[in-house]
Amino acid sequence: MTTSTALRTPPEPALTRPGSRRQAEVTRLLPGPLLAVILVLLGALVLVPVVYIFLASVNSDLGVARGEFWPSSFSLGNYSTIWSSVGLAGGLANSVLVAGATAVVSAALAVSTAFVLVRYNFRGRLTILRGLLGLQSVPGTLMVLPVFVLFSSAFTYLGVQVIGTQWGLFVTYLTFAMPFSTWVMVTYLRGLPRELEEAARIDGASNLGVLFKIILPLSWPGIVVSGIFAFLLGWNDVLFASVMTRPGSQTAAVALQTFTVSQEGGTIPYYGQMMAAALVCAAPVVVLYLIFQRYLVGGLTAGGVK
């Protein structure tokens, strides 16, 4: 009599669904407690200065000068005073106008320029790409004097006033924003499938038709990223805005500088107004990020996976 032994196979491991909690635990690089500690430290590193600025904005100048973290008395008077003390309203309006125009125009020019550089082969194409990359490595401080002399010469030889105007500052920001915006769009357009464009051309679409009907609807994440970074360039700039503006065209960043020289009673700077104005000037950028954050994630990670 022969006996047969059944072969037992080990049970197959349970499959984990993509995005499930089990898969997140498997792919996690750090243990849970250590990851929580790191996140708390990073959050505190970002939030503690913001909390201090807010508390200082509702504190008195003397209390901030004494080093008080928690105000002895709360007052929102600084938020109402900043609009008349240094002309912050006009500075914010100029910043929104100049930075917004820079963002829109640079994004529009970048997507059309990147479309030509990515989809067409012509003599000098690589030279242009390398030139755009080289322009990003030039520090802005080295360009202040040449740009100022160039724009001053425009009034001397052409009779065109550039220094002290909003559009002169816009042209300056656009010059520095275009290389980065173009490279962002070049990276994004390289990841778009060519089959969609070929199908549109078969249907009779022209080059402009492909650009407006195919490329633009698919490129919104990249366009938003390039536009936001161009907006930040104009919003945060102090160097060019200090040199190329007048009191009527100065931006919010220049208006904030006046708090460093203004003093209460000749001894104590306006710390409370300075903190309040800083929060007010940072609010538009925060709102901009909150509105377009889903486009930012897609635009910044474009080209990372082939």
Side-chain angles (χ1 to χ4, degrees):
M1 182 177 179
T2 60
T3 59
S4 60
T5 305
L7 298 178
R8 297 182 178 179
T9 59
E12 296 182 358
L15 298 178
T16 58
R17 291 174 298 177
S20 62
R21 182 176 180 181
R22 181 184 179 88
Q23 186 187 29
E25 293 177 354
V26 172
T27 58
R28 183 178 297 169
L29 298 178
L30 297 175
L34 181 59
L35 182 61
V37 172
I38 294 177
L39 291 178
V40 170
L41 292 178
L42 292 178
L45 186 65
V46 175
L47 294 179
V48 168
V50 177
V51 172
Y52 174 76
I53 293 175
F54 172 74
L55 293 177
S57 66
V58 296
N59 197 0
S60 63
D61 298 329
L62 184 58
V64 178
R66 290 174 178 174
E68 296 179 357
F69 182 83
W70 190 262
S72 56
S73 61
F74 291 85
S75 175
L76 297 177
N78 293 323
Y79 287 93
S80 60
T81 309
I82 56 178
W83 305 106
S84 58
S85 59
V86 295
L88 186 62
L92 284 173
N94 292 329
S95 293
V96 171
L97 179 61
V98 175
T102 303
V104 173
V105 175
S106 65
L109 293 178
V111 65
S112 56
T113 305
F115 176 70
V116 175
L117 292 174
V118 172
R119 292 297 189 253
Y120 297 94
N121 292 322
F122 53 90
R123 186 184 299 273
R125 171 176 169 271
L126 293 178
T127 303
I128 295 176
L129 290 173
R130 292 167 183 169
L132 292 174
L133 185 62
L135 288 175
Q136 297 183 48
S137 61
V138 179
T141 53
L142 297 180
M143 301 299 297
V144 175
L145 184 59
V147 170
F148 182 81
V149 173
L150 178 64
F151 286 174
S152 299
S153 302
F155 179 76
T156 303
Y157 297 102
L158 302 177
V160 179
Q161 181 66 38
V162 181
I163 302 296
T165 62
Q166 296 172 339
W167 72 269
L169 196 61
F170 159 74
V171 172
T172 304
Y173 292 156
L174 186 63
T175 304
F176 292 98
M178 275 298 299
F180 179 79
S181 298
T182 304
W183 262 108
V184 170
M185 294 310 304
V186 165
T187 304
Y188 191 87
L189 293 185
R190 283 175 177 173
L192 295 181
R194 294 175 178 265
E195 289 77 7
L196 297 176
E197 303 173 25
E198 296 173 356
R201 294 183 188 279
I202 292 175
D203 292 336
S206 61
N207 293 332
L208 290 178
V210 171
L211 177 61
F212 287 103
K213 296 180 180 179
I214 303 298
I215 299 299
L216 283 180
L218 297 176
S219 303
W220 276 113
I223 294 174
V224 169
V225 169
S226 61
I228 286 181
F229 275 93
F231 182 86
L232 291 178
L233 174 66
W235 189 267
N236 296 329
D237 174 71
V238 179
L239 183 61
F240 287 94
S242 301
V243 175
M244 301 183 61
T245 58
R246 295 177 178 176
S249 60
Q250 68 180 10
T251 60
V254 180
L256 289 177
Q257 283 186 312
T258 59
F259 286 112
T260 61
V261 297
S262 301
Q263 293 182 346
E264 179 182 6
T267 55
I268 302 176
Y270 292 113
Y271 289 119
Q273 296 184 35
M274 187 189 307
M275 300 300 180
L279 288 179
V280 170
C281 292
V285 180
V286 175
V287 173
L288 196 66
Y289 269 95
L290 292 178
I291 295 175
F292 296 105
Q293 60 178 346
R294 64 189 185 98
Y295 293 103
L296 285 170
V297 175
L300 291 173
T301 57
V305 179
K306 293 296 183 181

